């Protein structure tokens, strides 16, 4: 993409992050935002980076507060809020995200933990150890991935996580992918026989 287009896209992302941070659903802890990509990249404007991080952290904190209040109201009492993200809709924003880069980053992190003596060498064979180091570690593996616009590839998206996902391809462009198109995808998915092979 030309630099002017990239600059415009980041301006839009920054404005939308500010707007959603002030949305009632986010402020009331009903929606948690998770940014999957690398926000430390120098190519991301500082204002955009700042707003995305604020949106992510404030939505997380609002969900945590909501869970504590609900537990107190229901007399659950112990105040444990470790699962607060399960009580809210989580929206993942893949901004400056790449599946290969995520796998490499997680693998480096795991190898460093082994080299530092924090984990035994056998940890390198443990998929769970790698998975918990991925940027997607807080979300479940997808059951269905919908690719619009006539493309027939994953394009470096959720490569690790998509191992057993069903892939649905639609010729409809994303802006035109409406409720009816989603219903078609779900009907298609409902007819699939899920198979989970070995490693």
């Amino acid at each position: 993409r030309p630099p002017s287009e990239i600059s415009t896209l980041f301006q839009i992302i920054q404005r939308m992050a500010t707007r959603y941070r002030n949305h009632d659903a986010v402020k009331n802890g009903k929606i948690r935002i998770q940014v999957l990509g690398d926000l430390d990249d120098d190519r991301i404007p500082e204002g955009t980076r700042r707003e995305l991080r604020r949106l992510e952290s404030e939505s997380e904190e609002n969900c945590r507060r909501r869970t504590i209040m609900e537990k107190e109201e229901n007399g659950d009492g112990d105040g444990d809020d470790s699962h607060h993200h399960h009580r809210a809709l989580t929206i993942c924003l893949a901004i400056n995200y790449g599946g290969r880069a995520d796998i490499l980053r997680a693998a480096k992190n795991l190898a460093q933990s082994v080299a530092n003596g924090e984990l035994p060498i056998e940890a390198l064979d443990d998929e769970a150890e790698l998975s918990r180091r991925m940027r997607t570690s807080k979300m479940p593996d997808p059951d269905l991935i919908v690719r619009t616009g006539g493309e027939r590839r994953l394009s470096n998206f959720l490569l690790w996580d998509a191992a057993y996902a069903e892939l649905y391809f639609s010729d409809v462009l994303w802006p035109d992918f409406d409720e009816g198109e989603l219903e078609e995808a779900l009907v298609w998915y409902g007819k699939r026989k899920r198979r989970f092979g070995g490693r």
Side-chain angles (χ1 to χ4, degrees):
R1 296 179 189 266
S4 60
E5 184 179 346
I6 292 171
S7 175
T8 300
L9 286 172
F10 277 128
Q11 289 171 20
I12 292 169
I13 290 169
Q14 182 174 335
R15 283 198 305 269
M16 294 307 289
T18 304
R19 179 177 163 196
Y20 285 124
R21 187 166 49 81
N22 293 302
H23 192 283
D24 285 345
V26 172
K27 289 169 88 172
N28 295 331
K30 294 180 180 177
I31 293 178
R32 174 178 173 261
I33 306 294
Q34 182 182 355
V35 179
L36 300 182
D38 178 12
L39 293 184
D40 293 325
D41 191 321
D42 291 337
R43 295 173 297 177
I44 298 178
E46 180 55 40
T48 304
R49 180 184 301 123
R50 182 181 61 249
E51 284 305 310
L52 285 169
R53 284 187 170 142
R54 282 186 71 186
L55 173 61
E56 187 174 39
S57 65
E58 288 182 23
S59 71
E60 176 82 16
E61 177 60 23
N62 293 339
C63 288
R64 189 187 70 76
R65 272 201 302 259
R66 176 178 171 228
T67 300
I68 291 172
M69 285 184 357
E70 285 178 354
K71 285 189 172 195
E72 288 173 354
E73 288 170 7
N74 295 330
D76 292 344
D78 65 2
D80 177 20
D81 62 332
S82 58
H83 301 293
H84 60 271
H85 55 276
H86 296 299
R87 298 178 180 267
L89 171 68
T90 298
I91 297 175
C92 297
L93 304 178
I95 296 171
N96 197 32
Y97 167 85
R100 285 180 173 180
D102 198 16
I103 293 169
L104 285 173
R105 185 184 138 286
K108 266 199 235 175
N109 184 291
L110 176 56
Q112 191 64 56
S113 293
V114 170
N116 292 344
E118 298 161 14
L119 292 170
I121 190 76
E122 292 78 19
L124 294 174
D125 294 321
D126 187 348
E127 287 186 11
E129 285 292 346
L130 187 67
S131 290
R132 72 175 53 104
R133 288 166 170 76
M134 306 281 286
R135 294 188 190 279
T136 54
S137 63
K138 294 180 182 177
M139 60 183 248
D141 289 345
D143 294 309
L144 172 66
I145 293 178
V146 177
R147 185 69 203 259
T148 59
E151 300 292 350
R152 301 287 189 267
R153 61 178 186 265
L154 285 176
S155 297
N156 199 21
F157 184 71
L158 298 179
L159 298 181
W160 178 264
D161 319 81
Y164 294 108
E166 299 293 330
L167 307 177
Y168 179 82
F169 301 104
S170 170
D171 291 328
V172 177
L173 297 173
W174 172 245
D176 301 318
F177 194 88
D178 58 14
E179 189 175 341
E181 297 294 337
L182 177 59
E183 183 65 30
E184 274 188 44
L186 294 175
V187 167
W188 175 88
Y189 174 75
K191 294 177 182 174
R192 299 290 299 162
K193 287 188 172 72
R194 305 295 308 279
R195 292 185 181 89
F196 300 92
R199 294 176 66 191

